[in-house]
Amino acid sequence: QVQVVESGGGLVQAGGTLRLSCAASVNILRIAAMGWHRQAPGKQRELVATISNGGGADYADSLKGRFAISRDIARNTVYLQMNSLKPEDTAVYYCNAKYRGESYWGQGTQVTVSS
């Protein structure tokens, strides 16, 4: 089993930046893939970005160029750098870990972008 804990959300003005962190309870090299998803009020949860244990990253097409996923293996932590934030980025951001065929979710962290 894996626990993932998100942090770093908050309130930011449009055009600002935030960096989210997701700390895993196991060595992230043992996790097949980790990723960030988000869910805005009244909308379905959507994929933001993923990173495989080999380091390959993938992004939602609409977010390429503004968001970047990275990791610190020594800290078992994955990050989501969010730049040029827009009000439509307002959502709860969830970390996900795919480990031994199971999917594990964190509690989420709220990101609010004011106009």
Side-chain angles (χ1 to χ4, degrees):
Q1 203 171 23
V2 175
Q3 284 83 46
V4 291
V5 179
E6 306 96 335
S7 61
L11 174 64
V12 64
Q13 288 189 330
T17 65
L18 277 177
R19 189 178 77 158
L20 306 183
S21 300
C22 173
S25 61
V26 302
N27 186 328
I28 60 174
L29 293 179
R30 297 172 57 195
I31 299 173
M34 293 185 69
W36 290 94
H37 294 66
R38 69 184 184 183
Q39 187 165 20
K43 295 188 177 181
Q44 289 188 327
R45 192 172 295 190
E46 63 175 356
L47 174 70
V48 173
T50 60
I51 186 165
S52 70
N53 56 5
D58 198 13
Y59 298 90
D61 287 342
S62 62
L63 299 176
K64 287 179 181 176
R66 288 199 300 125
F67 288 15
I69 191 169
S70 63
R71 64 183 182 176
D72 185 332
I73 295 170
R75 295 179 184 273
N76 292 323
T77 299
V78 170
Y79 303 99
L80 183 69
Q81 179 68 41
M82 305 186 293
N83 301 321
S84 302
L85 282 162
K86 304 175 182 180
E88 51 263 44
D89 294 318
T90 295
V92 178
Y93 284 70
Y94 296 92
C95 181
N96 173 264
K98 289 185 170 51
Y99 178 70
R100 294 185 177 178
E102 299 288 333
S103 190
Y104 298 89
W105 294 91
Q107 293 299 306
T109 185
Q110 176 71 45
V111 171
T112 303
V113 184
S114 64
S115 56

